[in-house]
Each structure stands twice: as C-alpha cells, then as structure tokens.
Amino acid sequence: MLNEFKKYMKEKYEMIDLGLLHHFLGMGVIQTNSSIFIHQRKYASSLLNKFGLTDCKPVSTPLVATENLIKDDGSGAIDEENYRKLVGSLLYLTATRPDVMYAASLLARYMHGPSNKHYGIAKRVLSDWGDSIEDSKSTSGYAFSFGSGVFSWASVKQNCVALSTAEAEYVSASEATTQAIWLRFVLEDFGELQADATPLKCDNTSAISITKNPVFHQRTKHIDRLYHFIKDALQQGVIALVYCPTKDQVADIFTKALPKKRFNYLRDKLGVLSAQSLKGSVSV
C-alpha cells in the first residue's frame, strides 16, 4: 500500500523519495526496527546558546518540589519580552518533553509582570534539557496513550475553585473526558470506530463516586455545570472511570512539582528517554 501511494503521488506531483523521515517541523526523528524516537535536541541546544546556558550545571528535576510561585515575590521585575520568549520556547519543547509540561504551563501564568525569580526558574527548566497559592485554583493534568506510547497530554489551571481534592479530581476527569471524546472522533474519522469505552484512570475514589452517582450532589452544586457532562459520557459508555493507585498515577507529573525519585519514575512511565538507550546503532 505504501509503494502504491508513493507511485500515485509521483504521477500527480513532481517529487522524489527521500527515504525515512529524519526531520519534521523542528523535530528530529530516529527510526529503528523496534521504535520511532522523536526529539528536539537541535532546538534545545540553540535555546541553551541563545539564553547563555551552554555551560550551565544540569539539574535533576525542572522544579523544586517544596517551592511555590506567586506573582509578587519581591525579587524585582524582569523584561517581559525576554521572559515570554523563554517560556514560549519551553512550551514548544513540550511537544517531545511531556515531563516539563507542568513547569512550562506554570511559568506561562506569569507572562504579565514576571519577576527575577520566575525568570530564574524558567532557566532552571531549560537547564533540565501545586497548586496556585494566590487564587486556590488547582491544576488539571492528563495523558493519553495509544499502543506503546503517550501521544496526547496537558497541564491546565482549572477555571473554578475546588473545595476539596475530590472536586479538583472530578473537574480534572471532566476535562480529560473532553479530550477523550475528541480523540475518539479523530479515530472514527480514520475508520477506527471505538466500540469500547475509553478508560480514564483516577486515583480518587470520592471523585469516582461523584461521577458514577446519577443524582446531583448537593456538595458539588457550586461547580460549573459544564463539568457535569462527564456523568452523561459515563452512562453512554463513552468513558469508563477506573481507580488507579496514586503511586501509578502518571498524570501527577502534570499537576505538581515532584521529588527527584518520583519525577524520574513517572517520566519513565511516560516513555521519555535518551536516544542512546535505544536498541541498535543510533546517532542523534
């Protein structure tokens, strides 16, 4: 089928076969007999040079687990343009580095009036290549896998204030459901109709109970009604909410700063690794 497609394209357009894909939209692609590896090594290296970090000391995690960010931290203002360029570059890097998604999304909240501390932390994230204490809003995070790899992920600040961990998890599960519905639509468009429900793993039993109970909970009436559609998706068999032990909850890496051991464990589960660890002869 592949050869027939190539032949058809050559008949319709002037083109030549360059073999296996090696670069695409600033990303490098390495294909072996057992895997396809995508990376942004060249782009990351150019950023280190651009921001004067080529000789920086590497760090083991993008964020310090015990450190919280606030808008007015007293460290002095920094040039907004440079900060936005740096954070924007970090967000582009998350195309192949989901392990820095939370850090980049957190820093993006301070695009207006960033401080020296914010800029320093942004450079720390680049060297690696909780919740908001200001408005009490939690962070939603999710990751979807298909086959052997994670292909869709997000770290987003929630729009409403959750009064408990269960409510925060409920809102997060609702936002993951919207993505699940869209991904099912895409697969159906490709001719891959999903007959079974898409499993969503949640590590909070109370959030699962709220979702599975068709009766509107009195204690969740303050949550925006748009999040309650997850109940319909569950009843219609679009999703299946499954309990997952906290230690195996991959989405934690998208919602909070983690200690080194925990961060590395979840990063491995996402499939983020070094090209040198691939089987076979690989040159990046």
Side-chain angles (χ1 to χ4, degrees):
M1 183 177 68
L2 180 60
N3 289 331
E4 289 178 356
F5 176 74
K6 287 181 181 180
K7 181 181 178 182
Y8 174 77
M9 293 296 287
K10 288 178 180 178
E11 291 174 351
K12 294 292 183 180
Y13 309 98
E14 283 190 26
M15 58 191 306
I16 58 175
D17 187 356
L18 298 176
L20 292 177
L21 178 68
H22 295 290
H23 295 92
F24 181 72
L25 295 178
M27 300 180 197
V29 182
I30 301 173
Q31 301 188 51
T32 70
N33 292 331
S34 60
S35 64
I36 298 177
F37 181 86
I38 58 174
H39 66 91
Q40 291 168 285
R41 183 174 183 267
K42 184 177 180 180
Y43 181 68
S45 297
S46 69
L47 291 180
L48 289 173
N49 183 61
K50 179 179 179 179
F51 292 101
L53 297 171
T54 52
D55 297 322
C56 65
K57 183 179 179 181
V59 291
S60 56
T61 59
L63 297 173
V64 178
T66 56
E67 191 170 47
N68 291 313
L69 294 183
I70 58 175
K71 185 172 181 60
D72 300 315
D73 53 33
S75 64
I78 192 70
D79 181 68
E80 284 189 12
E81 184 178 356
N82 285 335
Y83 181 80
R84 289 173 179 173
K85 287 180 179 179
L86 176 52
V87 175
S89 299
L90 289 176
L91 287 171
Y92 184 64
L93 277 174
T94 62
T96 59
R97 290 293 301 272
D99 54 323
V100 299
M101 183 78 244
Y102 172 68
S105 298
L106 179 64
L107 290 166
R109 300 176 189 177
Y110 304 96
M111 291 295 208
H112 179 67
S115 69
N116 278 292
K117 182 178 180 179
H118 299 145
Y119 191 67
I121 292 176
K123 290 198 294 184
R124 173 191 169 90
V125 177
L126 187 56
S127 297
D128 178 59
W129 236 201
D131 294 339
S132 174
I133 61 177
E134 292 184 295
D135 55 19
S136 301
K137 292 181 179 177
S138 301
T139 301
S140 293
Y142 61 73
F144 285 89
S145 61
F146 191 81
S148 61
V150 172
F151 73 101
S152 176
W153 53 82
S155 175
V156 184
K157 187 177 182 180
Q158 295 181 358
N159 291 321
C160 63
V161 176
L163 301 183
S164 67
T165 302
E167 290 181 14
E169 293 282 358
Y170 177 74
V171 171
S172 185
S174 296
E175 294 180 337
T177 298
T178 62
Q179 182 70 357
I181 292 173
W182 183 78
L183 292 174
R184 289 170 66 91
F185 171 77
V186 172
L187 288 171
E188 183 179 351
D189 201 39
F190 289 159
E192 297 291 338
L193 180 64
Q194 302 298 290
D196 298 327
T198 299
L200 290 183
K201 297 182 179 180
C202 177
D203 63 357
N204 189 287
T205 54
S206 295
I208 295 176
S209 297
I210 293 173
T211 307
K212 291 186 175 181
N213 191 331
V215 179
F216 189 76
H217 280 249
Q218 181 72 15
R219 65 174 182 169
T220 60
K221 64 181 182 180
H222 61 282
I223 298 179
D224 195 318
R225 292 192 65 86
L226 67 89
Y227 294 110
H228 294 300
F229 78 94
I230 185 177
K231 296 175 181 288
D232 295 331
L234 184 68
Q235 292 173 11
Q236 294 168 6
V238 175
I239 64 156
L241 212 53
V242 182
Y243 175 72
C244 168
T246 300
K247 66 180 182 66
D248 296 324
Q249 181 52 279
V250 178
D252 273 359
I253 202 171
F254 300 115
T255 62
K256 59 178 73 72
L258 300 169
K260 179 181 177 180
K261 185 176 180 180
R262 174 72 172 160
F263 178 82
N264 289 340
Y265 172 73
L266 294 181
R267 182 172 62 181
D268 290 343
K269 289 181 74 69
L270 283 175
V272 178
L273 44 78
S274 168
Q276 279 66 40
S277 65
L278 297 178
K279 294 180 179 180
S281 177
V282 176
S283 59
V284 182

